[in-house]
């Protein structure tokens, strides 16, 4: 009889103690699973490049390389085939709702018991969606917000990275250097971002991202063009 492949899970959180709690929950829910731990968005990208058959990602909303929901946006654009459970200390229903809108299949508060963590992991691996009991996600969302959520979700991984860098106030030549591309390529990405978000300027794009995807998307320097 052939050996069944084990479940591969990546835990992305910059707090070692909480990564340990998540690892315990994974081991409890899925005996024999393979678990990797990373502490930044960059390290997560490297881990996924090395293990393309990853079955689940447990993603902290706040860690190096992540601004608001930008990490989730980037991850869903780059690896739409891998289910994501967001783990966060902020369990406000509006935050949970936004995570689901941006493509997460689960949300775990960092205050959850180990057994509850295991329940969430198993539910998502079984193809379901898991949110904390008692959280009402049915509250109506205004049409303008819903439209911008949809538009942000259409950005490619590189466009998300460019938008993140625009929010940090980087110039086109600085973004080009960081990404290893030409300035013309950056300008093309910026143009595509403006079109997809239906805005007229870099500043408007960053303001829209800050409003929808979290206050960490600063507006400093967004009007720079070179």
């Amino acid at each position: 009889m052939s050996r069944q492949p084990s479940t591969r899970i990546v835990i992305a959180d910059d707090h070692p103690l909480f990564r340990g709690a998540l690892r315990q929950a994974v081991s409890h829910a899925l005996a024999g699973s393979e678990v990797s731990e990373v502490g930044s968005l960059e390290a997560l990208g490297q881990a996924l490049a090395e293990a393309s058959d990853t079955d689940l990602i447990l993603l902290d909303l706040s860690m190096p390389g992540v601004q608001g929901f930008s990490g989730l946006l980037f991850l869903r654009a780059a690896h739409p085939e891998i289910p994501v459970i967001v783990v966060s200390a902020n369990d406000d229903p509006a935050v949970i709702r936004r995570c689901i809108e941006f493509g997460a299949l689960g949300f775990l508060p960092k205050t959850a018991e180990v057994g509850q963590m295991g329940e969430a992991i198993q539910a998502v691996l079984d193809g379901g969606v898991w949110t904390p009991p008692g959280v009402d996600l049915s509250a109506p969302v205004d049409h303008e917000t819903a439209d911008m959520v949809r538009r942000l979700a259409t950005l490619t991984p590189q466009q998300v990275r460019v938008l993140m860098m625009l929010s940090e106030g980087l110039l086109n030549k600085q973004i080009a250097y960081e990404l290893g591309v030409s300035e013309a390529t950056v300008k093309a990405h910026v143009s595509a971002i403006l079109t997809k978000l239906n805005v007229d300027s870099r500043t408007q794009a960053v303001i829209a991202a800050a409003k929808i995807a979290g206050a960490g998307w600063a507006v400093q320097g967004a009007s720079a063009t070179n």
Side-chain angles (χ1 to χ4, degrees), residues 26-179:
V26 171
S27 299
H28 182 267
L30 299 164
S33 57
E34 296 184 24
V35 182
S36 300
E37 299 180 22
V38 298
S40 69
L41 187 62
E42 180 181 2
L44 175 58
Q46 294 173 348
L48 296 178
E50 296 169 0
S52 59
D53 56 347
T54 296
D55 296 294
L56 177 66
I57 299 167
L58 301 176
L59 177 72
D60 185 11
L61 281 183
S62 301
M63 63 179 179
V66 174
Q67 306 168 37
F69 296 95
S70 62
L72 177 58
L73 270 172
F74 177 80
L75 196 56
R76 298 306 300 145
H79 300 279
E81 75 286 358
I82 305 177
V84 176
I85 296 177
V86 168
V87 291
S88 178
N90 186 349
D91 58 357
D92 184 285
V95 172
I96 298 174
R97 185 182 306 111
R98 191 57 48 83
C99 288
I100 302 303
E101 289 171 346
F102 280 135
L105 292 182
F107 183 96
L108 264 174
K110 288 196 171 183
T111 54
E113 302 279 344
V114 169
Q116 198 173 47
M117 292 180 182
E119 177 187 332
I121 291 167
Q122 191 62 64
V124 171
L125 286 174
D126 288 342
V129 176
W130 194 95
T131 55
V135 175
D136 181 12
L137 300 180
S138 62
V141 179
D142 68 87
H143 294 299
E144 182 181 351
T145 297
D147 180 62
M148 186 53 68
V149 168
R150 179 186 61 78
R151 290 178 181 278
L152 282 167
T154 67
L155 298 179
T156 67
Q158 198 77 319
Q159 288 165 2
V160 173
R161 293 181 69 186
V162 170
L163 183 55
M164 291 168 67
M165 291 178 181
L166 289 177
S167 74
E168 295 169 5
L170 297 187
L171 307 176
N172 281 358
K173 60 184 177 183
Q174 293 172 310
I175 296 174
Y177 175 79
E178 291 292 332
L179 298 181

Side-chain angles (χ1 to χ4, degrees), residues 205-221:
V206 174
I207 290 174
K211 179 181 178 181
I212 305 300
W217 297 65
V219 184
Q220 177 187 358

